[in-house]
Amino acid sequence: MCYYELKITLNLKKDLYYDNVTEKLSFMMNKSMLCNEYLKNIHEVNMYKLYVFEGLSPFEKDKVYKCGRYYMTRLRCVDQFMAESFRECLKGTKTNEFDVLAVDIDIIEAGFIKKLFNVTPAILTVDNGPWIEGMDIDILKNCINNNLLKKLKLIEGIDEELNHDMIKSIKLKNRSPIGCKYKGIKLIGNKFDIEVKEDGKSQLMARIALSTGILEKNSLGYGYCLYKND
């Protein structure tokens, strides 16, 4: 399964602290979607959005992104029409923080995936609160699997129930929960190393994780993954 990756080059118009980046990028994406009827409908419907984006690169060691510098973010999705729509809508988009300078699309065919690791925090809500270290690891694993299986059903148009565990092992990477600001609240997330099983369905689920993110609020930039194959 291939996916589409948009490389979005940005000019930053004011200094931006790292824990505000996701919110400001999300506002930029949402603003661009209002310029296209197809994307606007996706934005307004309460369903899996089937796209995800990362933070800014290059990373700033002092955690402050600098006014006047050029940065890049990447948006991924599994649908070519969505990718082309985003490219057209993002071109020239301006917000208080960003000017979009260029948008390029690559078609990515991921090879064998041994390990997934999310580079933006993954959000999981359990009993109206965030999943944190010390809580049941099986709840976390089940939610990762179920989220990806539901996306698989949407992508492939499958009606029957699916049940599969792609996770060979999972490890929490952060020492303390990661907080990110969004609309006046702080969302709490975590970063994980996920070792993926070798069978075909597990590898397919891992590719869906790469192209759409893991767990919740992917369309806000959470749960964006990279992978290792060795």
Side-chain angles (χ1 to χ4, degrees):
M1 185 191 83
C2 67
Y3 60 87
Y4 299 86
E5 182 176 277
L6 282 71
K7 295 180 179 179
I8 306 162
T9 304
L10 304 165
N11 174 47
L12 185 59
K13 295 170 9 181
K14 57 174 68 174
D15 287 354
L16 194 59
Y17 194 58
Y18 83 104
D19 68 351
N20 289 311
V21 166
T22 303
E23 179 182 22
K24 301 306 181 184
L25 285 173
S26 176
F27 179 82
M28 180 189 76
M29 302 296 182
N30 291 342
K31 181 179 180 181
S32 74
M33 293 175 78
L34 298 178
C35 300
N36 177 283
E37 239 3 83
Y38 169 71
L39 294 179
K40 183 179 178 181
N41 288 336
I42 291 173
H43 175 62
E44 293 174 348
V45 172
N46 184 21
M47 61 177 289
Y48 287 112
K49 308 302 184 188
L50 298 180
Y51 68 89
V52 66
F53 60 88
E54 67 170 348
L56 295 176
S57 60
F59 179 73
E60 297 285 4
K61 292 182 179 179
D62 64 359
K63 299 183 178 181
V64 178
Y65 293 88
K66 310 300 190 299
C67 175
R69 291 188 183 177
Y70 294 168
Y71 294 96
M72 187 186 77
T73 187
R74 291 177 290 184
L75 181 147
R76 292 176 179 167
C77 62
V78 295
D79 182 79
Q80 182 178 4
F81 187 72
M82 177 184 285
E84 295 287 354
S85 298
F86 263 117
R87 178 167 63 177
E88 291 305 312
C89 290
L90 280 165
K91 285 179 180 178
T93 296
K94 299 179 185 294
T95 67
N96 290 336
E97 291 76 27
F98 303 112
D99 288 339
V100 178
L101 303 179
V103 184
D104 298 301
I105 296 180
D106 289 328
I107 302 173
I108 309 295
E109 182 73 56
F112 176 77
I113 299 170
K114 182 176 182 180
K115 182 182 290 185
L116 290 167
F117 56 100
N118 57 300
V119 294
T120 61
I123 308 294
L124 174 58
T125 304
V126 179
D127 296 331
N128 297 315
W131 187 95
I132 57 175
E133 185 177 13
M135 296 178 71
D136 191 341
I137 195 72
D138 286 333
I139 291 176
L140 171 67
K141 290 175 63 177
N142 288 338
C143 287
I144 291 172
N145 283 314
N146 290 338
N147 173 276
L148 294 173
L149 289 169
K150 288 176 181 177
K151 291 174 179 174
L152 174 59
K153 289 177 64 175
L154 280 174
I155 293 168
E156 300 290 343
I158 299 171
D159 291 327
E160 66 266 22
E161 289 302 312
L162 299 177
N163 184 23
H164 189 75
D165 179 9
M166 74 163 192
I167 300 171
K168 183 181 291 187
S169 67
I170 186 166
K171 179 181 178 182
L172 180 68
K173 293 173 65 177
N174 45 282
R175 295 180 180 178
S176 58
I178 303 168
C180 296
K181 296 177 181 177
Y182 184 74
K183 291 187 175 180
I185 62 173
K186 182 167 282 192
L187 298 173
I188 302 298
N190 296 279
K191 293 185 178 181
F192 303 102
D193 279 337
I194 302 171
E195 191 174 1
V196 180
K197 294 177 181 177
E198 293 84 3
D199 65 274
K201 185 172 284 187
S202 295
Q203 290 293 309
L204 177 58
M205 290 168 65
R207 292 184 179 96
I208 291 172
L210 279 179
S211 56
T212 65
I214 59 170
L215 294 175
E216 303 169 12
K217 303 187 185 302
N218 306 135
S219 64
L220 301 181
Y222 296 101
Y224 184 97
C225 292
L226 300 178
Y227 78 102
K228 296 179 180 178
N229 56 14
D230 52 19

